Amino acid sequence: MKFPLGILVTETGLIFFSIILAFVLGWSLGKNNLGNLFGTAIGTQMIRFKTAVLCAMIFILMGALISSGGTSSSIAKISQVSSSTDIIVIMVSAIFVLELFSRYGIPVSIVQTNFGALVGWNLFIYTTLDWDFIKQMTGAWILAPILSCLICCGLMILVRYFLNHHPISLFIRDCFLRIGLVGLGVWASYTL
């Protein structure tokens, strides 16, 4: 098969195109999630934007290289994609959704977009899906914000109680906040 420009499409060409799409997907991910990772720290001027971008780049890359096995095994439970063409279709679908949501300022997870694209790909090729796993993942996306909300409320009660009974100087409190916001942004980048 030939492109209109006459370039012969080979497996190597498709792999190269897949790598380019992976970079575009990474760019969309960064554009969509930097505000989630460091938004509070940048908004309160605890960290400069350029520093936040650099920290996010380093720790997202470290997390991908060191700890990506969990996500990869979850994706592998959905399907075994072997063709470069299928990978390209799945990535273009995920990129389109990420870009669409980013354009309207709606934060979206790259895992959710890839998950949806993989399920769509499986439905298209009539592969048997593990519906129990799909229900488990969907349930986790619903339960995670609720559980995070409850944990946050509990932590706020503890922090407020501690600060009311053990006053801390404004300078020390500012240092703790700066370290905490940057540290949590780095941790969130790594886990992303």
Side-chain angles (χ1 to χ4, degrees), residues 67-76 111 192:
S67 302
S68 65
T71 304
S72 299
S73 65
S74 294
I75 289 174
V111 175
L192 180 65

Side-chain angles (χ1 to χ4, degrees), residues 60-87:
I60 287 172
L61 183 62
M62 283 177 57
L65 295 174
I66 296 169
S67 302
S68 65
T71 304
S72 299
S73 65
S74 294
I75 289 174
K77 285 183 182 179
I78 302 168
S79 65
Q80 296 294 328
V81 180
S82 58
S83 165
S84 297
T85 308
D86 295 337
I87 292 169

Side-chain angles (χ1 to χ4, degrees), residues 38 41-49 51-53 55 178 182:
F38 285 100
I42 294 169
T44 56
Q45 298 180 349
M46 294 287 184
I47 188 172
R48 291 188 338 244
F49 179 76
T51 308
V53 169
C55 287
R178 185 178 308 272
V182 173

Side-chain angles (χ1 to χ4, degrees), residues 77-79 115-116 118-134:
K77 285 183 182 179
I78 302 168
S79 65
F115 183 80
L118 281 167
V119 169
W121 176 77
N122 277 302
L123 290 172
F124 181 76
I125 64 166
Y126 304 109
T127 303
T128 304
L129 289 168
D130 183 358
W131 288 105
D132 290 331
F133 180 71
I134 292 172

